[in-house]
């Protein structure tokens, strides 16, 4: 399960019936990084959410109000562009004469056939695609069935708000870079990704997605960093380096430029929650470089 979840939450990625209409706002994974007259607000996102996850906590709304600019993993222009989906499809094309079936173990192929039959999935039309794209499509479809919607993710939420208020929005990386990371998964990683995705297309997958979503809603740093991230680091070290560590390191100079540059603008940065957590996360990497860092979380202080 966790390889599928790490791929989705690391790059982009719960059932609506599990929440009451009067549920409290999510406990934010929000940090304030200060240097001189500059402030970065770092907000850990869950890329697919439900209507019940809104409104957000007052401190998150205050951070957005204070920030003059917004940084996302990808710019809104890229997220909205059909070219991103076209580039993903192009990257996943198998060479002529090759097939999806040849890249999967017999048991995984049999499971995919069963899933396709049960879900009216046109398997023949997918034979020319690499496993990572097919697995990602199935994962997103299953999460949508559980009530999670990419259109409600924090990235799009704040991107839309920023554009409405005329605040500049930029991306930390390009869509092609994210595609290259997925396309760069080894054959073994892709097979495992597909196998886990199909195995999770049932009650066990629903429970695990609910658990992760609940951990995000609770602002539970330990559950996310010492559970999901630590497992991936231990069992899939190469993939963990590519999806998490390498991207964090590539983002650091761009974040430091916002803290060290001229002017007085503050910035809200919204990225997948795993990128902020643990010793490999952006929060601790900025702290290690001498910046003042504090978590902004009223619910956490009340709990203490």
């Amino acid at each position: 399960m966790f390889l599928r979840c790490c791929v989705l939450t690391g790059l982009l990625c719960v059932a609506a019936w599990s929440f009451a209409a009067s549920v409290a706002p999510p406990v934010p994974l929000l940090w304030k990084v200060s240097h001189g007259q500059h402030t970065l607000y770092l907000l850990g996102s869950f890329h697919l959410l439900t209507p019940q996850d809104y409104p957000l906590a007052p401190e998150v709304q205050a951070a957005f109000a204070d920030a003059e600019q917004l940084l996302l993993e990808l710019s809104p222009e890229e997220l909205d562009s059909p070219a991103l989906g076209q580039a993903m499809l192009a990257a996943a094309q198998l060479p002529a004469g090759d097939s999806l079936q040849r890249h999967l173990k017999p048991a995984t192929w049999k499971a995919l056939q069963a899933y396709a039959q049960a879900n009216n999935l046109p398997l023949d039309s997918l034979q020319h695609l690499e496993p990572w794209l097919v697995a990602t499509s199935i994962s997103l479809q299953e999460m949508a069935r559980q009530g999670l919607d990419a259109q409600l993710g924090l990235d799009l939420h704040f991107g839309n708000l920023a554009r409405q208020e005329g605040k500049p929005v930029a991306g930390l990386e390009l869509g092609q870079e994210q595609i290259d990371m997925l396309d760069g998964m080894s054959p073994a990683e892709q097979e495992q990704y597909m196998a886990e995705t199909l195995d999770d297309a049932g009650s066990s997958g629903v429970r695990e997605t609910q658990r992760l979503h609940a951990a995000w809603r609770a602002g539970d740093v330990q559950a996310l960093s010492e559970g999901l991230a630590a497992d991936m680091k231990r069992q899939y070290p190469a993939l963990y380096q590519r999806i998490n560590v390498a991207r964090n390191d590539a983002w650091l100079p761009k974040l430091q430029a916002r803290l060290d540059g001229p002017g007085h603008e503050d910035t809200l940065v919204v990225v997948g929650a795993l990128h902020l957590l643990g010793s490999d996360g952006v929060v601790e990497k900025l702290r290690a470089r001498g910046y003042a860092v504090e978590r902004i979380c009223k619910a956490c202080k009340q709990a203490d």
Side-chain angles (χ1 to χ4, degrees):
M1 168 72 191
F2 77 83
L3 175 57
R4 178 180 69 86
C5 289
C6 284
V7 169
L8 291 177
T9 58
L11 289 175
L12 295 179
C13 128
V14 179
W17 63 79
S18 64
F19 304 105
S22 59
V23 69
V27 176
L29 292 164
L30 177 65
W31 285 263
K32 180 180 180 180
V33 185
S34 304
H35 182 242
Q37 300 185 67
H38 295 283
T39 296
L40 280 182
Y41 295 101
L42 302 174
L43 178 63
S45 75
F46 207 82
H47 294 301
L48 297 89
L49 293 175
T50 74
Q52 289 76 17
D53 291 316
Y54 294 90
L56 300 172
E59 51 265 50
V60 175
Q61 299 181 49
F64 175 76
D66 184 54
E68 286 84 18
Q69 49 198 355
L70 178 69
L71 265 180
L72 306 174
E73 292 183 27
L74 299 181
S75 71
E77 289 75 21
E78 276 214 281
L79 285 171
D80 293 342
S81 173
L84 185 61
Q86 294 166 2
M88 182 174 289
L89 186 61
Q93 296 291 318
L94 289 168
D98 201 354
S99 69
L100 173 64
Q101 182 177 358
R102 293 176 59 184
H103 291 259
L104 300 176
K105 296 178 180 178
T108 305
W109 175 249
K110 185 177 180 179
L112 179 58
Q113 287 180 304
Y115 180 89
Q117 183 174 5
N119 293 274
N120 297 315
L121 188 69
L123 191 54
D124 288 344
S125 67
L126 304 178
Q127 279 279 25
H128 65 290
L129 297 175
E130 294 182 7
W132 67 264
L133 182 56
V134 179
T136 298
S137 299
I138 292 173
S139 291
L140 292 174
Q141 176 177 294
E142 289 299 310
M143 294 178 83
R145 286 179 177 174
Q146 297 172 42
L148 287 161
D149 187 349
Q151 295 300 312
L152 295 175
L154 290 188
D155 320 71
L156 291 179
H157 172 76
F158 282 110
N160 291 333
L161 281 182
R163 285 188 288 189
Q164 291 171 16
E165 298 189 13
K167 295 186 178 184
V169 188
L172 283 163
E173 60 192 12
L174 298 175
Q176 188 60 52
E177 293 175 297
Q178 291 198 356
I179 293 171
D180 290 344
M181 276 180 288
L182 285 168
D183 195 40
M185 293 174 70
S186 70
E189 290 168 345
Q190 291 196 46
E191 211 285 336
Q192 179 70 12
Y193 182 21
M194 177 68 81
E196 287 191 9
T197 296
L198 294 169
D199 187 55
D200 292 337
S203 58
S204 62
V206 171
R207 288 192 298 270
E208 185 64 13
T209 301
Q210 288 178 330
R211 183 184 70 82
L212 292 173
H213 180 263
W216 176 83
R217 279 194 56 88
D220 192 337
V221 170
Q222 183 173 1
L224 292 171
S225 63
E226 297 182 12
L228 184 64
D231 284 344
M232 185 181 187
K233 184 177 182 178
R234 181 176 62 255
Q235 298 187 39
Y236 299 90
L239 188 61
Y240 175 81
Q241 285 291 323
R242 291 201 309 275
I243 286 181
N244 198 49
V245 179
R247 294 168 72 207
N248 293 349
D249 289 343
W251 294 349
L252 279 176
K254 301 175 183 180
L255 298 177
Q256 289 185 259
R258 301 275 177 147
L259 288 164
D260 300 337
H264 308 288
E265 295 86 1
D266 296 332
T267 305
L268 173 63
V269 182
V270 183
V271 297
L274 292 184
H275 290 289
L276 302 183
L277 308 177
S279 59
D280 295 321
V282 169
V283 170
E284 290 306 318
K285 286 177 180 287
L286 287 173
R287 195 194 308 272
R289 284 161 173 75
Y291 297 102
V293 180
E294 62 175 315
R295 186 171 180 186
I296 307 298
C297 176
K298 293 180 181 178
C300 301
K301 294 178 181 178
Q302 292 171 357
D304 293 340

